Amino acid sequence: MRRRLTERILVVDDEPDSQRALVGMLQRRGHTADAVGSGEAALERIAAQPEAYDIILVDQVLYAGIDGFQVLRQIKSDYPALAVVLFTGHGDVASGVEALRLGAYRYLFKPVEPNELDLVLHSIREVEGLRQEKEWLGNLLPISNVMLGARDLGQVLQTIAEAVQRMLGFGRVAVSLVEKDMVRVHAVVGLTADEAKALLGRTYPRDVFFRPMQERFQISRSYFIPARDFNWREDYGDFFIDRDLGARAEGEWQSGDLLRVPIHAPDGSAVGIISVEDPEDRRRPALETVRAVELLAGQAALAIDNARLFQAERRRREIADTLSKIPQIINGTLELEKVLDLILDQLQRVVAYDSASLQLRRPTLNEQEDILEIIADRGLGPQPNALRGLAFPLDPGHHPNVLVLQEKQRRVVPDVQGVYEGFADPRFHAQHIRGWLGVPLLYRGEAIGVISIDKRDPDFYNDEDAELALTFASQAAIAIANARLFEEADHRSTTLETLLEVGQTLASKATQNPGKVLQVIVEGAARVTGADSVVIYPYNAATQSYERQLIRHVGLRD
């Protein structure tokens, strides 16, 4: 995921020439850079504006007042998430090790090289982005549970607006729904009483509302519309409500700038729009911010669909009530293994089955073609998940689930035996299956997999069962996607943290014997890869032989 390209940096240096050089270097690279000449001034500046800076660059040697190490300790005590880089013209390896131990992200030597500084800032952005991503995904769970459990459509939409404002720091948020050829504003937060009164319930012709959402403004699946490039009053006519944000610096979010994030149904159609403006940090939206709103919009689509289901289908109240509880259950964890088990457990409450499986679309090792791989199953072997990892090609003549995947449509087969050859394959333990129902797992309009539902009885499933399973599948797809996103983010974060920890450990062990250094490397490799065993064989090029006394491993017997 691409991170923000510029940072807000405070330079702490009591040498005027060095201070000017470093600030100039940062500003030429597009960063916002301020400078102070003492540790006390730095701490006062940060205390007055804790959110004003992303990174603090501190000279280790400050001749008046507290030194760089004391500044580092205080910042890490009061603001542990704030990144600090220590630099010096008088340091040594021991000082560098101590700085890292105290929490400095990196220890640099003067004169600071531009390329080295660029690499450090890029690394900080990556680590911070992953931390924010994990925090966002964790915070999304309770919000999703509230939305997905709500039966009143107005409550769902208000929850969406409040979540975007609270979790992502936007000053004003509006949520609108598409109603045939019109768009109606249903929920707002952050507006004055007069603005809210003017906007709530207001309807716009669909073509007018969607007019600003042009390809030139597109970011991911959303649209950031700068006021300088779109004349709202001229092009939007009477449908424009002016909001003056006051004077803003060039490059900051301006009055009239707007981010619009479509709420897409599982089939890819837009059912609503989240409109946001005036972020707390005044920054134009970075890609990760847009994707965070899009992730919430995905949850919102499901919540909106659930709320409409409750309103429209009173005769299916009992089943709809069951469906309302299932999202809370399957979204109650971000551990993929538990999510898959919960999906198959809860599916039985919606549609009866003798056996069932979750199958995801994956590329083959050579990435020349895709396959369907079973990632969880029930009733297809002596124990749950007996067929996990079993894959089959996308051949619609052998498996009806391939048609479900390709057509993105539910499918009911009265009796699969004798019709689809794949059910006779002993590898799939499917000889007992007669009645069959398959529904696609749709995420952001794409079919990522299939739920296969089986009965021993022919002609068991009907269209009503298929519709219920399809509704359940839309919830399951979101849960699987969220769990996979969290798993990937957690793995990337763990990898970076491990690499940083190994680097710091190696720095502190640099003067020790090679065997200890190699052991640290081996243990770090095992943590990063998740391997059961790792071995390193040091090779001596001079003797052209392995140095057996330095072989190190984890997970093997000595």
Side-chain angles (χ1 to χ4, degrees), residues 457-534:
D457 308 307
D459 298 305
F460 185 85
Y461 297 114
N462 55 34
D463 287 341
E464 184 176 358
D465 296 320
E467 284 299 314
L468 290 172
L470 189 61
T471 299
F472 178 87
S474 66
Q475 300 166 349
I478 295 291
I480 292 172
N482 285 348
R484 293 172 73 186
L485 281 171
F486 185 84
E487 188 177 71
E488 292 168 5
D490 186 67
H491 177 71
R492 293 195 302 270
S493 178
T494 300
T495 298
L496 286 173
E497 291 170 358
T498 300
L499 292 176
L500 179 60
E501 181 181 334
V502 169
Q504 293 173 345
T505 304
L506 290 177
S508 65
K509 293 181 179 291
T511 59
Q512 300 183 18
N513 65 63
K516 291 185 178 180
V517 173
L518 294 172
Q519 188 64 34
V520 170
I521 295 173
V522 148
E523 292 172 358
R527 290 170 59 190
V528 168
T529 62
D532 294 328
S533 60
V534 177

Side-chain angles (χ1 to χ4, degrees), residues 290-346:
V290 174
R291 286 180 172 167
V293 184
E294 289 176 346
L295 189 60
L296 184 59
Q299 298 286 289
L302 186 56
I304 290 168
D305 186 59
N306 280 351
R308 284 174 167 170
L309 177 66
F310 284 126
Q311 290 180 346
E313 300 188 16
R314 295 181 181 276
R315 65 183 181 87
R316 296 168 60 183
R317 184 178 298 274
E318 182 177 351
I319 296 178
D321 186 64
T322 300
L323 288 174
S324 74
K325 294 182 177 64
I326 289 174
Q328 299 179 44
I329 297 172
I330 63 177
N331 281 285
T333 177
L334 284 173
E335 294 183 34
L336 183 59
E337 187 75 18
K338 292 182 179 179
V339 167
L340 300 179
D341 287 340
L342 286 169
I343 288 172
L344 289 177
D345 290 341
Q346 297 304 311

Side-chain angles (χ1 to χ4, degrees), residues 15-54:
E15 298 179 15
D17 291 342
S18 173
Q19 184 187 100
R20 283 193 296 270
L22 192 51
V23 168
M25 182 193 305
L26 293 167
Q27 291 177 341
R28 285 191 297 274
R29 280 159 168 73
H31 303 294
T32 300
D34 299 327
V36 294
S38 70
E40 289 84 357
L43 295 177
E44 290 176 6
R45 180 78 63 91
I46 295 169
Q49 295 178 295
E51 304 295 328
Y53 299 104
D54 304 308

Side-chain angles (χ1 to χ4, degrees), residues 219-361:
I219 303 176
S220 186
R221 293 164 59 89
S222 304
Y223 302 85
F224 174 66
I225 306 148
R228 69 186 181 194
D229 297 327
F230 189 87
N231 189 322
W232 290 95
R233 189 171 298 282
E234 179 180 333
D235 295 345
Y236 226 50
D238 295 336
F239 300 98
F240 174 70
I241 296 180
D242 193 9
R243 302 178 184 87
D244 185 7
L245 302 181
R248 294 287 173 91
E250 181 67 23
E252 290 187 330
W253 194 293
Q254 305 294 324
S255 296
D257 289 357
L258 191 68
L259 174 65
R260 280 188 170 169
V261 180
I263 301 173
H264 289 289
D267 63 3
S269 62
V271 297
I273 302 289
I274 301 174
S275 302
V276 300
E277 58 179 309
D278 190 20
E280 291 177 352
D281 61 7
R282 296 192 173 192
R283 292 186 176 186
R284 293 189 173 189
L287 182 59
E288 68 268 19
T289 301
V290 174
R291 286 180 172 167
V293 184
E294 289 176 346
L295 189 60
L296 184 59
Q299 298 286 289
L302 186 56
I304 290 168
D305 186 59
N306 280 351
R308 284 174 167 170
L309 177 66
F310 284 126
Q311 290 180 346
E313 300 188 16
R314 295 181 181 276
R315 65 183 181 87
R316 296 168 60 183
R317 184 178 298 274
E318 182 177 351
I319 296 178
D321 186 64
T322 300
L323 288 174
S324 74
K325 294 182 177 64
I326 289 174
Q328 299 179 44
I329 297 172
I330 63 177
N331 281 285
T333 177
L334 284 173
E335 294 183 34
L336 183 59
E337 187 75 18
K338 292 182 179 179
V339 167
L340 300 179
D341 287 340
L342 286 169
I343 288 172
L344 289 177
D345 290 341
Q346 297 304 311
L347 176 63
Q348 185 70 271
R349 299 180 58 191
V350 178
V351 180
Y353 64 78
D354 293 322
S355 57
S357 65
L358 299 175
Q359 305 160 11
L360 287 189
R361 185 175 194 159

Side-chain angles (χ1 to χ4, degrees), residues 133 397 451:
E133 186 177 337
I451 300 180

Side-chain angles (χ1 to χ4, degrees), residues 420-431:
Y420 291 97
E421 298 177 8
F423 287 87
D425 189 333
R427 294 180 303 157
F428 296 105
H429 298 272
Q431 294 90 338

